[in-house]
Amino acid sequence: MRLLQRVGLVFSVLAGFALSPGAASAAAPGELCGTYKSTGVTGGYEVATNVWNSHGEICINTDGGPNFQVSRSTLAPGNATNPGLGPGGYPYIGTTEADRRLPVPVSDLGDTATSWRTNAPDSGTYNVAYDLWYMPNREGCTSVIGSAGSTEVMIWLKSPNLKAGGQLFQQGVVIDGTTYDVYGFTGPFGQTALIYAMTSPTSSVEDLRLQPITQDAIERGKISRSGVLCKVQAGFEIHDQAPAGLGTEAFSLQVKRGETTAGPAAEAKPAAAPTGYVTSGITGKCLDDRYNRREDGNPIISYHCNYTDAQRWVIKDDGTVVHAAQKDKCLTAGDDGKIILWTCTGSESQKWKAGTDGSLVGRSGRCLDVPGALPDDGLQLQLHDCNGTDAQRWKPPVTATPDGVDSSAIFSDAFAGADRLLTNSYANWNPADPQAARSPNWELTTGTMFIRHGVGWSGVPDATEPDVDSRSAT
């Protein structure tokens, strides 16, 4: 994890960014010092120093069990390689490249759980944080740290003198009995990143199940439902003054694939609500939360469809229209008739029903309306007397679509058949080459499209244009 500070906001970004664990040098149990020194310990895990943003030093001790202690640290803001990135290092314990328990499909996490006991004093400036790494497919796991296609989910147990930052998605969300504040941002190499910060700090967890948090990230559109969990790490993001005694006393990961068991009193989960984009009768326009802000009163506008989180909505059976990425915020008709985002209360100002002419009818029997039926971006929507015009026609999603895929999309591909190269930009720019891979549906001006396990995949991103078969570059 890293910390990125911009205009007073602090963004935790990345654990172990500088070097992948696969590049670590082996060392015997005892004291490890250096930029990236690691050793295998009991349970098939590794511990690592992982200094990546500092000219200072970290040393850790381990007795060969699943533990380590920070024995020395000179990490401080004054010797940071890049002060804007925050912490100097992230000493951790976690899974290795050779760990056969991973990757695990997110659909098969079942009751997979982790336990972690730490000694985490309240002095110093650091956090106690898990780092979970996901990819759309298992092939990408070998390069998950450093890949723009990855998702990084951080679980903050405790953070003395340090606050999580980024875009606050939701406060006080309860997941599997624990309350979190949820933040999100884009990492330095383009990875999707989320922070789940426990609102009641703790130094240790027992049998923390990974499926519920993973499912929450899926519902926010941040992890693919067909993706995989690649790595699990647990460590300390040190900004300044690693306190005496800071360390991991025990760590474990129990991979339990299959159906999730929530106890004998668990109820059947209701069918998922329709999720996706609400498109306007004015061509090319969508219902949009301006700048994807979560503040109460933020304007809801008409904007060209760009299929971002700002335009994803959940249509609930109770008549509310909920922001898919900020699940405690609802489409609301203000007292002045202007349409705004507001914390969901279940009031009549947040209840909508579909009219027979494609309208969305709100309070007082008036319709959701684009002012003047204009095609301009940024017009704040309003309630208006229902008139049956395109300005009042809306097409909401009708099915629960995964990961923000719009059920009304005009084109989709089944990606059938064996795993293979589908096409690439070489085929586009070399039309006379009979060896080029061509697709009847796809043309690429740059990059590669593979089929892997029934889905389209770009391959591991790199900086080189592909050759005829995308073997040396993608």
Side-chain angles (χ1 to χ4, degrees), residues 40-403:
V41 295
T42 301
Y45 310 114
E46 68 175 1
V47 296
T49 55
N50 194 23
V51 178
W52 57 266
N53 184 38
S54 179
H55 300 296
E57 183 180 51
I58 286 179
C59 295
I60 62 175
N61 271 320
T62 179
D63 61 12
N67 59 65
F68 72 90
Q69 183 180 61
V70 177
S71 53
R72 284 185 284 164
S73 172
T74 60
L75 303 186
N79 58 30
T81 305
N82 186 337
L85 291 178
Y90 176 74
Y92 71 85
I93 184 169
T95 58
T96 70
E97 297 283 354
D99 195 324
R100 294 189 176 183
R101 289 168 290 194
L102 300 177
V104 178
V106 298
S107 61
D108 200 26
L109 277 173
D111 283 324
T112 292
T114 176
S115 298
W116 185 22
R117 187 171 72 250
T118 75
N119 182 39
D122 290 331
S123 58
T125 305
Y126 71 98
N127 61 31
V128 181
Y130 276 99
D131 215 5
L132 314 178
W133 290 89
Y134 302 79
M135 284 292 281
N137 51 65
R138 62 191 308 118
E139 290 86 354
C141 284
T142 56
S143 60
V144 63
I145 298 178
S147 169
S150 66
T151 298
E152 179 187 10
V153 171
M154 292 161 265
I155 306 172
W156 284 26
L157 277 59
K158 182 178 181 179
S159 53
N161 306 307
L162 185 66
K163 291 185 178 181
Q167 181 183 356
L168 177 61
F169 282 167
Q170 189 172 358
Q171 288 182 303
V173 57
V174 179
I175 302 174
D176 207 27
T178 300
T179 305
Y180 301 88
D181 292 339
V182 184
Y183 303 80
F185 54 94
T186 300
F189 48 79
Q191 87 274 26
T192 298
L194 292 170
I195 300 172
Y196 290 82
M198 292 185 178
T199 59
S200 297
T202 182
S203 297
S204 303
V205 291
E206 186 75 21
D207 293 330
L208 175 69
R209 297 196 307 145
L210 301 186
Q211 189 275 337
I213 282 182
T214 302
Q215 183 61 34
D216 184 85
I218 289 172
E219 292 175 359
R220 294 178 191 275
K222 306 304 181 182
I223 295 175
S224 169
R225 294 179 188 273
S226 58
V228 295
L229 173 65
C230 299
K231 287 183 180 296
V232 176
Q233 298 172 327
F236 311 105
E237 216 178 28
I238 299 174
H239 295 248
D240 195 13
Q241 303 175 28
L246 178 65
T248 287
E249 297 176 352
F251 171 84
S252 66
L253 173 69
Q254 306 88 36
V255 175
K256 300 177 182 179
R257 297 175 180 241
E259 293 295 323
T260 299
T261 57
E267 297 180 359
K269 187 175 180 179
T275 305
Y277 311 104
V278 179
T279 54
S280 172
I282 299 174
T283 303
K285 302 298 178 181
C286 280
L287 188 72
D288 185 284
D289 171 33
R290 192 175 70 178
Y291 304 130
N292 199 29
R293 301 288 294 272
R294 63 169 281 111
E295 290 85 356
D296 282 345
N298 196 55
I300 302 301
I301 62 175
S302 174
Y303 200 78
H304 70 268
C305 297
N306 54 26
Y307 307 114
T308 61
D309 280 350
Q311 297 181 352
R312 293 185 64 236
W313 302 90
V314 182
I315 313 301
K316 297 285 191 176
D317 288 341
D318 64 1
T320 56
V321 179
V322 181
H323 196 303
Q326 301 168 19
K327 296 185 288 186
D328 60 338
K329 301 293 180 177
C330 283
L331 186 72
T332 305
D335 292 338
D336 60 358
K338 299 293 186 182
I339 307 303
I340 56 177
L341 192 72
W342 200 267
T343 300
C344 298
T345 63
S347 68
E348 287 305 306
S349 65
Q350 296 178 343
K351 296 296 178 67
W352 303 88
K353 62 181 180 180
T356 57
D357 56 356
S359 59
L360 281 176
V361 182
R363 64 193 301 180
S364 303
R366 306 177 83 198
C367 285
L368 183 66
D369 180 272
V370 179
L374 295 173
D376 303 2
D377 278 343
L379 295 174
Q380 185 172 7
L381 302 181
Q382 62 182 6
L383 283 181
H384 194 276
D385 292 340
C386 299
N387 54 33
T389 64
D390 284 346
Q392 297 183 354
R393 290 196 176 95
W394 301 93
K395 184 179 181 181
V398 295
T399 59
T401 53
D403 306 326

Side-chain angles (χ1 to χ4, degrees), residues 385-437:
D385 292 340
C386 299
N387 54 33
T389 64
D390 284 346
Q392 297 183 354
R393 290 196 176 95
W394 301 93
K395 184 179 181 181
V398 295
T399 59
T401 53
D403 306 326
V405 176
D406 185 10
S407 61
S408 62
I410 61 173
F411 173 77
S412 63
D413 196 328
F415 295 110
D419 289 358
R420 65 189 186 279
L421 168 66
L422 183 60
T423 190
N424 57 19
S425 56
Y426 178 93
N428 182 69
W429 300 115
N430 296 273
D433 189 341
Q435 301 301 315

Side-chain angles (χ1 to χ4, degrees), residues 12-56:
S12 181
V13 178
L14 175 64
F17 169 67
L19 291 174
S20 164
S25 56
E31 188 173 57
L32 308 176
C33 299
T35 300
Y36 196 101
K37 296 292 184 180
S38 74
T39 187
V41 295
T42 301
Y45 310 114
E46 68 175 1
V47 296
T49 55
N50 194 23
V51 178
W52 57 266
N53 184 38
S54 179
H55 300 296

